[in-house]
Amino acid sequence: MTPSATATTTLALAALVALAAFAGPVVLALAAVLVSALLAAGWPELLSLPSPRGTTSVVALTGLVAAAATAVAVLAGRDAVGGGPLAGLPAVAALSLLGAFVHQLARRDGRPRLVESVTAAVTGQALAVLAACWVAVPATYAGAPLAPVVLAALAVAVAVCATSWPLRVAGPVALLAGALTGWLAGSATVALGGAGIVPPARWAVAGIVAGAGAGLAAAAWRAHSARLPAAGSVPAAFAVAAAPVALAGGGAYLVGRLLLL
């Protein structure tokens, strides 16, 4: 897959998550599981890992359990006093770490590149947990409109990073383009009456911060993934496309809880 095709896949996933944010926690959880599944499917090939089936299984299972736990907490109406909708994710992360070690113990290939395999699996699991944070975004002060604001900025930043520009150019441009898109999307949310209980002025600030963060994440991911030889193959390209969407989930939740008060 070409960089433009990979970026198009990211845009499609971003659009799917943005629409799912308005459809309720169950649908949004399914969208988050899809992001984690695509990440898991290509993660071993992207990093040329041994025992690919086991790594795919533990990453995909982590994404499924994390999204389900978050959806249950949102449906139960857990607020900040009860630990918030993400209260179950530390336990999921801890159990996923144990799962990564169990996977290594179950290997029958002599366990070559053991440290590399464990590190890569745990990193993939961390991204899967961050993807589950999208399920909690509509439960923040900002509500569901925050998801398209952040994802619009991410989409623009990823599109910039998919160009043939060198990273020293594409990185700063992605950062600025993400911040600008976030500001415009936040302002549009206010203009369309989606500000909710959040003061309108906060939306512009949150859009800029979230957009700049999305641009930084997109540029950092390009700097990492572009160096990997397998990044152009189909399974690996799905992981490259899904990772920025997963990574933005945690940032979106932080913006919704900390900036949009």
Side-chain angles (χ1 to χ4, degrees):
M1 291 178 67
T2 62
S4 60
T6 303
T8 301
T9 305
T10 301
L11 302 186
L13 288 174
L16 177 65
V17 174
L19 291 174
F22 296 92
V26 175
V27 176
L28 188 51
L30 292 175
V33 169
L34 175 61
V35 172
S36 298
L38 291 177
L39 176 73
W43 195 247
E45 182 166 342
L46 177 64
L47 301 178
S48 301
L49 299 176
S51 186
R53 291 186 194 175
T55 301
T56 293
S57 298
V58 295
V59 174
L61 182 61
T62 298
L64 176 62
V65 174
T70 307
V72 168
V74 171
L75 289 171
R78 271 188 104 161
D79 54 18
V81 176
L86 301 186
L89 291 190
V92 173
L95 291 174
S96 70
L97 179 61
L98 292 177
F101 285 120
V102 170
H103 162 230
Q104 298 303 321
L105 290 173
R107 288 173 60 183
R108 293 294 181 266
D109 57 356
R111 302 192 189 99
R113 299 159 59 201
L114 176 62
V115 175
E116 180 182 346
S117 181
V118 172
T119 303
V122 172
T123 303
Q125 290 171 319
L127 287 173
V129 170
L130 289 176
C133 293
W134 281 116
V135 184
V137 168
T140 64
Y141 300 105
L146 179 60
V149 170
V150 178
L151 288 166
L154 178 68
V156 171
V158 168
V160 170
C161 289
T163 63
S164 59
W165 298 342
L167 185 61
R168 65 178 181 275
V169 176
V173 172
L175 183 66
L176 293 175
L180 177 61
T181 304
W183 173 69
L184 291 174
S187 300
T189 298
V190 175
L192 294 173
I197 64 173
V198 178
R202 294 284 180 89
W203 273 101
V205 175
I208 292 172
V209 172
L216 181 61
W221 181 238
R222 171 184 161 171
H224 175 72
S225 61
R227 300 172 181 268
L228 301 175
S233 65
V234 174
F238 282 139
V240 173
V245 179
L247 185 60
Y253 183 80
L254 285 177
V255 169
R257 284 300 298 265
L258 300 181
L259 287 181
L260 293 177
L261 298 176

